[in-house]
Amino acid sequence: MWTSTPFTERFGCRYPIVQGPMGGGGSTPELVAAVSNAGGLGSLGCYHLEPAAIRDAAADVRRRTDRPFALNLWIPREREDGESPEPSRALARLQPYREELGLPPLLEPPAPTVQDFERQFEAVLEARPAAFSFIFGLLPEPMVAEARRRGIAMIGTATTVEEAEALEASGADLVCASGFEAGGHRGSFLRTAEQSLTGTLSLIPQVASAVRIPVLAAGGIADGRGVAAVLALGASAAQIGTAFLMCRESGASDLHRAALADRTRARRTTLTRAYTGRLARILTNRVTDDLARAPAEILPYPYQNEATRELRYAAARVGRTDLLPFYGGQSAPLATLGSAAGLVATLAAETAAVFERLGPESR
Ligand SMILES: Cc1cc2nc3c(=O)[nH]c(=O)nc-3n(C[C@H](O)[C@H](O)[C@H](O)COP(=O)(O)O)c2cc1C
């Protein structure tokens, strides 16, 4: 049966379907619990949360489900990709949009709020989720040992075969291999994100051949054809972000959800550093088009993120969808608006239908 994989056996999930973590508020306790209750594995993106908020959010998920779920953090990076331009040049590039929104010139990027990763990790350990997933690097050895002692499965994120191998060698129990179709940030950590752009169809079978641990496939999966395809490529489960972001339980704004559901608009996505300083896939807009012509005038993360913060908030307040970063992957046009439980059920029925069509042996 297609539902019986090393992933479903390990977590006791009914389906090999993971709702990808979406930090910054995209994944909510409601979404995570709805997915886990429906037979998938929900994951809560926690990188932006203080340790106390991580504890509260995990408790909130637990009040809503007794099924397994995952918590996710960003591994702090020592060095960001690329050159650091003169801040005044980068800020001058953003000023025309600020002017349109009635914002005064920004003289320097506001100081970033940096979360204390060690304390965030302690909160995750205390919450004791079935899985801890992470992105942007390897988990340091003492933390691997702590998670293992508590029986928390570790899921690292890879964008290349080398990263998957490094994650396996460092003690990860599963690897999420993310093709460049995926919405959100590229989690590359061995080379720059621009040097780590492989599509799901190529990446998954190579990673599945290179490592012994189970592989979750992410990037461009939004219906049962995609789930069946990545299982055929050697994945143990499909990790889906954008399609779950469109569900009513997600933390996406109404404007964001509507933009993803507008098939004409959602057909155009771009990998850009324009809003945060790290490469991320979002729906193409004026800002991504303009800044694509001036990549050297983008500050490294987290400074670009701070430099665009006020602009993003002001654009959201007045509904300027041409200036807002709507995170989303290449397969948004395959997804529809609805509930998370409905999406899990539809994905399961569609995947079963694909295997049915392919013949009894394939099931
Ligand atoms: C808005 C958004 C935020 C995301 N935040 C995170 C995150 O904090 N941590 C992480 O590991 N992955 C994050 N991702 C990646 C997803 O978990 C998932 O792997 C990806 O969306 C799969 O590709 P798809 O969007 O084509 O389905 C994010 C994706 C989106 C769309």
Side-chain angles (χ1 to χ4, degrees), residues 19-24 26-27 45-47 72-74 133-136 157 176 178-179 181-185 217-222 239-245 256 281 327-332:
Q19 166 258 311
M22 291 179 279
S27 49
C46 296
Y47 84 88
N72 174 275
L73 290 177
W74 289 15
S133 65
F134 52 93
I135 185 165
F136 290 121
T157 307
C176 170
S178 173
E181 300 90 331
H185 286 97
I221 308 161
Q239 174 162 308
I240 299 174
T242 303
F244 280 111
L245 195 59
H256 192 161
R281 188 172 292 285
Y327 289 89
Q330 290 185 325
S331 293

